[in-house]
């Protein structure tokens, strides 16, 4: 992990098209601003992890549905 120190109003740039700016510091809270192209998804980590878990659950549920459908298909083709 790259660790950088920045003060209020200072920025970092990632790959020429993403800019992260420190907007303010209040106690333990740091407010940041992110400029990025619309196609770049930006999430808070806890939201990102929640989305990943929902995707895993969806895939598992979808796989079970596909297996049930294949069982029905195989039963009907044997008749």
């Amino acid at each position: 992990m790259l660790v950088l120190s920045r003060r209020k109003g200072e920025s970092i740039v990632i790959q020429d098209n993403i800019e992260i700016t420190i907007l303010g510091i209040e106690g333990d809270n740091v407010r940041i601003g992110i400029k990025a192209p619309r196609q770049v998804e930006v999430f808070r980590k806890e939201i990102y992890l929640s989305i990943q878990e929902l995707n895993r659950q969806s895939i598992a549920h979808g796989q079970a549905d596909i297996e049930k459908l294949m069982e029905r298909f195989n039963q009907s083709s044997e008749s």
Side-chain angles (χ1 to χ4, degrees), residues 6-14 18-25 30-36:
R6 301 278 74 201
R7 290 191 169 100
K8 182 178 176 180
E10 295 181 334
S11 301
I12 63 170
V13 176
I14 302 170
I18 300 171
E19 181 178 353
I20 300 173
T21 303
I22 304 302
L23 301 176
I25 302 167
V30 178
R31 294 187 59 208
I32 62 171
I34 302 169
K35 289 183 188 176

Side-chain angles (χ1 to χ4, degrees), residues 19-74:
E19 181 178 353
I20 300 173
T21 303
I22 304 302
L23 301 176
I25 302 167
E26 297 175 14
D28 288 343
N29 291 325
V30 178
R31 294 187 59 208
I32 62 171
I34 302 169
K35 289 183 188 176
R38 288 196 178 272
Q39 66 269 21
V40 174
E41 295 179 334
V42 179
F43 300 102
R44 294 187 330 231
K45 186 172 183 178
E46 63 273 17
I47 300 297
Y48 177 78
L49 294 175
S50 177
I51 291 169
Q52 294 298 312
E53 180 58 28
L54 289 172
N55 286 342
R56 279 191 287 278
Q57 291 174 6
S58 177
I59 290 169
H61 184 67
Q63 184 62 35
D65 289 345
I66 291 171
E67 289 171 4
K68 288 178 186 176
L69 184 61
M70 290 302 294
E71 286 176 19
R72 287 183 184 171
F73 177 76
N74 288 336

